[in-house]
């Protein structure tokens, strides 16, 4: 029999006593004596016994029902202890995770507060830098001693690098352009190629083109090149798309902005193109012979979303309007911000902007329902129009220079710039549907309004009725219309909507409009 009372895994036999042992147990005693007889015992007196490894005898505990119950009880106790330990570890891990998440949330709040304070400090610094050349430098010139003239010159030169201001040469260029355009306007006649009222009344949808990505659908802005049959759109998907109307093909997709593209404008010279975005930047693109556009300038003067871009009649300058309550006047060739106008710390922001056809007046709409008219040469606010409800979403001047149309949440209002008053209001939609776009055609004969549908009006004078020529199908089921543009001579219209489709409206049977 075995000394330990258990079935041995490595059985051995003593030569002296003939007793059976478990090798690993008896090895502890062989250097002294036999654990049973007490006789001296060495490893040489131990003989291993070969057994069949495939069939092991049943352990003692499994030889009876009480033994099996004891084994099950031990295993159950061990399982319960293990489960209790796991529950304790899980509780500890949950507490540690909760603490880590609380620390992360607190850190995010601190970082957000610091970023806000940083942005406010930058805005105040930018505002101070704009005022320093007019205030501090003037006072320093009058009061500083003569030996500091050299230092003052260096400081003034550094200040000019921020925003040098609109120079006398630039003002002269703007004034000359205004004189030429004003003289031409007096002799201007309605072109015989302009689409007639009957033509507009027969306009229908000719084609629809899904230009932007499906994961972030929506066209927010559109523009038509004045001398080429190409259309540009800016989308929620952060891209601008250049589209050939004749072929129905996309010529180029401009990627680079990190947020939605809110405004797109063609410059009718040097194949230039300007985009504004909610990522606070403006990009100037240069077209190439192969039809692609490369980013030429990235402008980062604004501290909030850029909502509007408008090109000056000289095609040498442009203005951007932002929710940071400023508008910037840029030199197109260099991408330099000549001046930034507005109060950075103000509560309202600019949501729309447009140049007067003569170029010396700038109109801006604000998020607080106010329309401001600016003298570009002096950058002074010369008039204010109120009466809207909600942000002013769009603003456009008539080609004759007398009328201004503004769109907001409540309606479209027409303003007489000669008497500075509102003489007509269109409220085509209900109180829950804003008007997103309003546009005069280039001749100043027609006015288009876009919201849940698109409506065309005949332009008349202050006292005459502005008749509705055409109402196009309701777009509310497929996506509200966000932008509307007239093609040359009002031969067609391009309408962008939130379902990412660019729709072309024109006379039926126009071969150039086949999808």
């Amino acid at each position: 029999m075995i000394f330990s009372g258990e079935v041995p895994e490595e059985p051995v036999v003593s030569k002296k006593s003939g007793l059976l042992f478990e090798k690993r147990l008896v090895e502890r005693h062989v250097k002294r004596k036999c654990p049973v007889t007490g006789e001296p015992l060495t490893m040489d007196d131990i003989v291993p016994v070969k057994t069949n490894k495939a069939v092991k005898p049943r352990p003692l505990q499994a030889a009876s029902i009480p033994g099996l119950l004891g084994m099950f009880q031990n295993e159950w106790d061990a399982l319960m202890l293990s489960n209790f330990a796991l529950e304790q570890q899980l509780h500890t891990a949950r507490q540690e995770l909760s603490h880590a998440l609380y620390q992360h949330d607190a850190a995010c709040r601190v970082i957000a507060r610091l970023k806000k304070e940083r942005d406010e400090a930058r805005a105040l610094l930018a505002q101070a830098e704009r005022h320093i050349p007019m205030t501090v430098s003037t006072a320093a010139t009058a009061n500083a001693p003569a030996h500091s003239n050299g230092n003052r010159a260096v400081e003034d030169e550094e200040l000019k690098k921020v925003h040098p201001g609109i120079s006398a040469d630039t003002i002269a260029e703007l004034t000359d352009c205004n004189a030429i355009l004003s003289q031409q306007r007096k002799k201007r006649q309605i072109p015989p190629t302009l689409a007639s009222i009957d033509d507009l009344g027969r306009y229908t949808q000719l084609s629809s083109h899904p230009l932007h990505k499906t994961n972030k659908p929506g066209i927010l802005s559109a523009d038509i090149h004045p001398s080429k049959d190409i259309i540009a759109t800016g989308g929620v998907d952060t891209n601008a798309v250049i589209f050939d109307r004749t072929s129905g093909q996309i010529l180029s997709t401009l990627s680079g902005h990190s947020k939605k593209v809110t405004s797109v404008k063609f410059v009718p010279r040097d194949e230039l193109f300007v985009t504004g975005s909610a990522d606070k930047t403006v990009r100037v693109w240069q077209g190439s012979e192969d039809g692609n556009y490369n980013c030429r300038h990235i402008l980062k003067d604004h501290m909030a979303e850029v909502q509007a871009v408008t090109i000056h009649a000289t095609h040498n300058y442009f203005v951007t309007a932002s929710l940071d309550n400023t508008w910037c006047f840029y030199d197109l060739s260099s991408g330099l911000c000549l001046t930034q106008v507005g109060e950075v710390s103000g509560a309202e922001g600019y949501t729309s902007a447009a140049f007067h056809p003569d170029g010396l007046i700038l109109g801006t709409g604000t998020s607080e329902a106010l329309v401001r008219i600016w003298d570009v040469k002096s950058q002074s606010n010369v008039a204010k129009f109120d009466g809207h409800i909600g942000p002013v979403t769009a603003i456009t001047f008539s080609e004759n220079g007398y009328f201004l149309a503004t769109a907001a949440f409540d309606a479209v209002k027409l303003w007489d710039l000669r008497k500075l008053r509102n003489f007509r209001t269109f409220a085509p939609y209900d109180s829950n549907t804003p008007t997103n776009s309003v546009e005069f055609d280039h001749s100043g004969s027609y006015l288009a309004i876009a919201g849940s549908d698109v409506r065309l009006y005949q332009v008349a004078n202050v006292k005459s009725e502005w008749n509705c020529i055409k109402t196009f199908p309701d777009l509310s089921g497929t996506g509200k219309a966000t932008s509307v543009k007239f093609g040359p001579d009002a031969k067609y219209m391009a309408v962008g909507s939130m379902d990412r489709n660019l729709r072309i409206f024109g006379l039926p049977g126009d071969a150039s409009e086949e999808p």
Side-chain angles (χ1 to χ4, degrees):
M1 62 181 293
I2 185 169
F3 166 70
S4 64
E6 298 180 359
V7 178
E9 294 181 0
E10 294 183 81
V12 293
V13 176
S14 172
K15 294 180 181 180
K16 295 182 178 182
S17 62
L19 297 175
L20 182 67
F21 298 98
E22 170 66 45
K23 182 178 180 181
R24 61 183 175 80
L25 297 176
V26 79
E27 281 179 345
R28 302 175 184 176
H29 301 275
V30 294
K31 294 182 180 180
R32 294 173 293 177
K33 56 185 177 180
C34 177
V36 177
T37 62
E39 298 178 356
L41 190 67
T42 65
M43 290 301 294
D44 294 336
D45 298 328
I46 299 300
V47 178
V49 178
K50 294 183 178 180
T51 59
N52 187 357
K53 299 292 183 181
V55 180
K56 294 183 179 180
R58 180 178 298 176
L60 182 63
Q61 293 87 343
S64 63
I65 292 178
L68 289 173
L69 293 176
M71 290 176 60
F72 293 153
Q73 182 65 45
N74 292 336
E75 291 181 0
W76 176 258
D77 293 342
L79 179 62
M80 290 299 100
L81 289 174
S82 176
N83 186 53
F84 177 74
L86 288 176
E87 287 182 350
Q88 284 188 319
Q89 294 175 2
L90 176 61
H91 180 68
T92 303
R94 283 178 174 173
Q95 287 183 325
E96 293 176 351
L97 178 60
S98 176
H99 183 66
L101 290 175
Y102 177 79
Q103 287 183 323
H104 178 268
D105 182 67
C108 289
R109 291 175 182 272
V110 172
I111 292 171
R113 179 174 57 82
L114 292 176
K115 284 184 175 181
K116 182 179 179 181
E117 292 177 355
R118 180 202 63 185
D119 292 342
E120 290 176 351
R122 285 179 176 177
L124 292 174
L125 177 61
Q127 180 183 2
E129 287 173 342
R130 288 199 303 275
H131 289 289
I132 283 176
M134 297 182 290
T135 57
V136 177
S137 298
T138 304
T141 303
N143 301 325
H147 66 270
S148 64
N149 286 342
N151 293 335
R152 278 204 319 274
V154 173
E155 292 173 358
D156 291 346
E157 189 64 29
E158 290 298 323
L159 290 172
K160 289 180 181 179
K161 290 180 181 178
V162 181
H163 295 308
I166 301 178
S167 65
D169 292 340
T170 300
I171 292 177
E173 181 182 359
L174 300 181
T175 304
D176 292 342
C177 177
N178 172 264
I180 294 173
L181 293 176
S182 297
Q183 188 65 27
Q184 291 177 351
R185 181 169 292 104
K186 294 178 181 179
K187 302 177 181 179
R188 183 181 61 88
Q189 296 181 350
I190 302 298
T193 55
L194 180 69
S196 66
I197 296 177
D198 292 338
D199 290 340
L200 266 66
R202 293 189 292 117
Y203 276 5
T204 185
Q205 180 174 318
L206 301 176
S207 60
S208 180
H209 309 274
L211 301 185
H212 292 266
K213 296 179 180 178
T214 57
N215 59 338
K216 291 184 178 180
I219 294 175
L220 299 178
S221 56
D223 195 28
I224 298 177
H225 198 289
S227 59
K228 297 181 180 180
D229 209 0
I230 58 176
I231 304 170
T233 60
V236 180
D237 62 356
T238 74
N239 293 331
V241 174
I242 309 297
F243 173 77
D244 184 355
R245 185 184 71 97
T246 304
S247 64
Q249 300 296 319
I250 294 177
L251 300 180
S252 181
T253 299
L254 283 57
S255 302
H257 286 293
S258 60
K259 293 185 179 180
K260 58 186 179 182
V261 178
T262 56
S263 184
V264 294
K265 288 292 179 182
F266 283 109
V267 182
R269 71 167 183 86
D270 300 336
E271 299 296 329
L272 295 176
F273 182 66
V274 184
T275 58
S277 171
D279 64 7
K280 307 177 187 179
T281 68
V282 178
R283 289 177 178 251
V284 179
W285 307 81
Q286 176 74 61
S288 57
E289 294 181 356
D290 58 1
N292 292 321
Y293 283 77
N294 299 314
C295 186
R296 182 172 173 180
H297 301 295
I298 302 177
L299 313 176
K300 302 179 179 180
D301 296 278
H302 286 295
M303 304 298 295
E305 292 186 12
V306 177
Q307 291 285 296
V309 175
T310 179
I311 309 299
H312 189 267
T314 59
H315 302 157
N316 295 326
Y317 308 97
F318 68 96
V319 161
T320 60
S322 169
L323 289 180
D324 65 5
N325 200 26
T326 68
W327 56 268
C328 291
F329 186 91
Y330 286 98
D331 177 79
L332 188 58
S333 299
S334 64
L336 179 64
C337 179
L338 301 182
T339 186
Q340 189 170 12
V341 181
E343 295 295 333
V344 180
S345 59
E348 64 182 28
Y350 293 116
T351 52
S352 54
F355 270 115
H356 187 274
D358 291 343
L360 288 185
I361 294 178
L362 175 71
T364 58
T366 72
S367 59
E368 300 297 325
L370 187 65
V371 178
R372 298 178 186 269
I373 305 298
W374 302 83
D375 180 356
V376 177
K377 293 191 296 183
S378 63
Q379 300 97 61
S380 59
N381 185 200
V382 296
K384 296 179 181 179
F385 298 144
D386 56 12
H388 273 300
I389 298 175
V392 179
T393 55
I395 182 171
T396 179
F397 288 92
S398 172
E399 179 61 25
N400 63 13
Y402 300 150
F403 302 142
L404 170 67
T406 58
F409 194 91
D410 56 337
V412 172
K413 291 184 178 293
L414 299 174
W415 309 86
D416 186 350
L417 297 176
R418 294 165 294 185
K419 297 184 178 181
L420 301 180
R421 67 180 182 88
N422 170 229
F423 67 91
R424 184 163 278 101
T425 298
F426 297 123
Y429 312 118
D430 58 41
S431 58
N432 296 322
T433 305
T435 304
N436 299 309
S437 181
V438 60
E439 183 78 10
F440 284 106
D441 79 301
H442 183 67
S443 70
S445 301
Y446 306 116
L447 177 70
I449 296 174
S452 62
D453 58 24
V454 179
R455 305 187 183 197
L456 293 180
Y457 290 86
Q458 180 186 8
V459 173
N461 55 35
V462 174
K463 297 181 180 180
S464 301
E465 187 67 26
W466 293 45
N467 297 320
C468 182
I469 302 171
K470 178 81 171 181
T471 299
F472 292 97
D474 186 2
L475 300 177
S476 60
T478 56
K480 62 182 180 180
T482 55
S483 56
V484 57
K485 290 289 178 180
F486 284 101
D489 291 330
K491 294 295 186 183
Y492 67 91
M493 285 195 322
V495 177
S497 67
M498 287 306 294
D499 64 354
R500 80 186 181 97
N501 280 287
L502 175 69
R503 292 175 171 82
I504 306 297
F505 294 87
L507 285 174
D510 188 346
S512 64
E513 292 296 342
E514 293 179 359

